[in-house]
Amino acid sequence: MSAQNPTVHRAASDPLDELDGGLAIAPGEVLERVWHLFISMRFGLLLMLVLALLTLVGTMLVQVPAGMKGDPQAYVQWIDGVRPKYGGWTNVLDALGFFDIFNSLVFKAVAIFLVTSTVACSVNRAPLLWKQTTKPRMNVSDAFFAHAPHRAALDVPQDGSEAAAQVVAALRSKGYRTLTQTTGDGAIHVYADRFRWAPFGTVVAHLSLVPIILGAMIGGSMGFKNTDFVLPIGTKTDVGAGTSLSVMATSFTDRYYADTGQPADYASDLVLYDGGRQVAAQTIRVNEPLRYGDVTFYQSFFGPAAEIKVADAGGRVTWDAGVPLRWGTNDELERAGVFPLPDSNLTVVVYGAQSGRQDPDIKAGQVRIEAYQGVADFPSASQKMVDSKVVDQGKPASIAGLTFTFVREQQFTGLIVAKDPGAPFVWFGAALLFLGVCVVFFFHNRRIWAIVHGRAGGSSVSVAAVVRHDVTYRQEFEQLIDGVRASLGAGTVA
């Protein structure tokens, strides 16, 4: 055997290098890496950016009305309604959940990660702040006094004990808490701080994101907001969205400015029912909503309506309610409203003349009624019109085998109906954020160190402070040193 070329025998299972071996990461190492990821400021900022972008997307894209996604047929009709706006991107946006983004898995996952990151950062930082507040470091090196951004050195005639007592008195007169300690070399260390709990303001401000995000998630998943709830005067209408509520507007009043004709005030007298039992009654205005539990009714808009009565061939009334004329036609001559007749498999459109405009087809005291085959929120291009007729007020007319009567003109009131069970969490988070920001900006934490050395004929006093992100502190520090110097009769200030 050659001594220069020894033979090395390896077990078949030994990896030739690290690439041949299996991945071996201890569970503790995995947890440590995850922990460091969540306490990373960059990771937290990235999550905030992603959440902000998703919120922007949800603001820019039309969002599906509350409760509609639970009805597959209604949701398909809604998707078809927005398809002309988004074209070929419609299916992609739908698959990504962007039409219901605040309830999407992506949004919830990012929000949960952000909450976890915020809590982890706060938990990671809190022990250090607690130690700094309750057990501050008393002894600092001479290098600290030599290089601190705010520092001063004084020669005083008093001995060490008296000089230290005077320094403590000067600091306390400015509202500082003081601690003293004498070391083996005879030096007296003085530590002082003011608003020592103020650093926790940043923790409070960061943690405020937790209830705010949780509240938004709870509101998005368990609440609803209908910004287009129309209510004909005198007609009880179900609120829907999983509630047992119904509401009726008994009257509506509006007032206009004489010089401009613009609305000066408008109000609705609402009666609210829960399970058929009256539970509230209130006159609402734009800034005076009706609240019942976690459901709120806001006054939003108003317009004309037509009370229509429909009877079948046997005389049975299948519809008797006001029809809000919510939409204006392209020529701006007419306003239109829609209501369904499920028993007859019809969708009915009612047209009335636009206020202040003359329509050659619809005179005063008339409406035009069109009946379309099939039931829908609004007739589509594929639905066939069965019959159409202009109807005089109070005169029954036969349309599509049914008897229609235009009873009278009336008004409708438009409401925003919102249920937000997460609102208390959001308000609580907002209060925490306000508190934390106020503490950070108005109660600046100050920390000062001083050391007193005795010498022949007096003492030397060194004072230093480290205050970051506050350019105004230099003047405050100099005034403090002037007070210390005056009380000690110091001969030199450096």
Side-chain angles (χ1 to χ4, degrees), residues 197-263:
W197 298 104
F200 281 92
T202 59
V203 177
V204 173
H206 290 156
L207 288 177
S208 68
L209 290 176
V210 176
I212 290 175
I213 293 174
L214 289 178
M217 293 176 64
I218 292 172
S221 60
M222 301 175 61
F224 66 86
K225 186 175 184 179
N226 186 347
T227 60
D228 195 30
F229 187 83
V230 291
L231 193 60
I233 306 303
T235 300
K236 185 190 292 188
T237 304
D238 292 335
V239 173
T243 72
S244 58
L245 300 177
S246 57
V247 61
M248 181 172 66
T250 57
S251 65
F252 177 85
T253 57
D254 51 351
R255 181 169 56 85
Y256 300 83
Y257 292 107
D259 52 345
T260 64
Q262 296 296 318

Side-chain angles (χ1 to χ4, degrees), residues 174 474-484:
K174 297 296 184 179
R474 177 168 294 279
Q475 183 179 0
E476 181 181 336
F477 182 78
E478 291 176 352
Q479 291 175 351
L480 179 64
I481 294 302
D482 288 342
V484 173

Side-chain angles (χ1 to χ4, degrees), residues 67 70 79 95 98 135 137 170 184 228 241 291 322 350 364 369 374 396 479:
I79 288 292
F98 281 4
K135 296 179 180 179
R137 181 180 177 183
D228 195 30
R291 292 185 171 87
V350 181
I369 296 176
Q479 291 175 351

